[in-house]
Amino acid sequence: MRRPDIPIIVDVEASGFGGTSYPIEIGVALDDDTKYCSLILPAPGWIHWDTEAEKVHRIARDLLETYGKPMQEVAAHLNTLLQGRTLYSDGWVVDKPWLTTLFHEARVRMQFSVSPLELILSEQQMARWQGTKAQVLAGVAQRRHRASFDAWVVQETYKRTLAASSTPSIPASSECDAIVGPASD
């Protein structure tokens, strides 16, 4: 699989952590360094609300009811923005089902694909991931747990780990000696 220089990253905030939860915010970090974010107006049947999840994302249900966009509008906009593209998620196991829930409830066919971020990470990137992500977060003046910010953090971490992984390391002379033997005169 070809590794993109700048992958499109998606993040989804949800009403809870379990099977009855639903998407409340979609954030996308695009490959042109722009971001998309939208709150989602819950469907009438979407009633599950987990106060522990709200403590994480800090989005109150009444905020969704006031500022959330209709799910058909969000789904249509995502299709227009992302048609035929592949998005990556560091939480694919939950983000993909939440996106599927959004499109199913909106009765709109998803016209892009979502894959696990791990499919495009090299071993070197994985080894550097946590430390690099901590550096990205340390460089941000104000942190917020929102979908577009989270997507940007993942994308920025990916870009930095890719750059660090593609820089060839030159072994110290003693390491070279061990590899090829000492230089002879």
Side-chain angles (χ1 to χ4, degrees), residues 10-13 23-28 36-40 74-75 78 82 87 95 98-99 102-103 112 146-148 151:
V10 63
D11 187 71
V12 181
E13 299 299 331
I24 63 168
E25 183 184 43
I26 307 288
V28 180
Y36 167 81
C37 191
S38 181
L39 294 173
I40 301 165
V74 175
L78 287 168
L82 305 165
L87 286 64
D95 288 346
W98 285 326
L99 283 165
L102 170 71
F103 278 81
F112 54 89
R146 295 294 295 270
S148 61

Side-chain angles (χ1 to χ4, degrees), residues 10 86-89 92 95-96 99 110 112-116:
V10 63
T86 299
L87 286 64
Y88 296 92
S89 169
W92 179 84
D95 288 346
K96 172 70 167 145
L99 283 165
M110 190 185 304
F112 54 89
S113 62
V114 183
S115 293

Side-chain angles (χ1 to χ4, degrees), residues 1 86-93 114-121:
M1 170 174 279
T86 299
L87 286 64
Y88 296 92
S89 169
D90 68 337
W92 179 84
V93 72
V114 183
S115 293
L117 180 67
E118 293 79 6
L119 287 180
I120 58 170
L121 291 176

Side-chain angles (χ1 to χ4, degrees), residues 24 39 42 49 54 57-66:
I24 63 168
L39 294 173
W49 193 259
E54 184 177 339
H57 54 62
R58 298 181 179 186
I59 302 169
R61 184 169 170 107
D62 63 338
L63 187 71
L64 298 173
E65 292 166 355
T66 303

Side-chain angles (χ1 to χ4, degrees), residues 15-137:
S15 66
F17 304 111
T20 58
S21 62
Y22 49 87
I24 63 168
E25 183 184 43
I26 307 288
V28 180
L30 293 135
D31 53 358
D32 63 359
D33 289 326
T34 60
K35 292 187 271 315
Y36 167 81
C37 191
S38 181
L39 294 173
I40 301 165
L41 179 65
W46 290 357
I47 56 173
H48 171 77
W49 193 259
D50 185 333
T51 55
E52 292 303 309
E54 184 177 339
K55 288 177 187 174
V56 175
H57 54 62
R58 298 181 179 186
I59 302 169
R61 184 169 170 107
D62 63 338
L63 187 71
L64 298 173
E65 292 166 355
T66 303
Y67 298 105
K69 293 180 182 169
M71 65 189 69
Q72 294 83 358
E73 182 181 324
V74 175
H77 190 83
L78 287 168
N79 275 343
T80 299
L81 192 63
L82 305 165
Q83 185 172 14
R85 313 284 302 273
T86 299
L87 286 64
Y88 296 92
S89 169
D90 68 337
W92 179 84
V93 72
V94 289
D95 288 346
K96 172 70 167 145
W98 285 326
L99 283 165
T100 300
T101 297
L102 170 71
F103 278 81
H104 176 77
E105 188 70 29
R107 300 192 187 329
V108 173
R109 187 177 65 82
M110 190 185 304
Q111 297 177 4
F112 54 89
S113 62
V114 183
S115 293
L117 180 67
E118 293 79 6
L119 287 180
I120 58 170
L121 291 176
S122 68
E123 287 182 32
Q124 296 86 356
Q125 284 178 282
M126 287 183 198
R128 291 178 168 98
W129 192 265
Q130 292 306 322
T132 304
K133 185 175 180 181
Q135 290 173 351
V136 169
L137 288 169

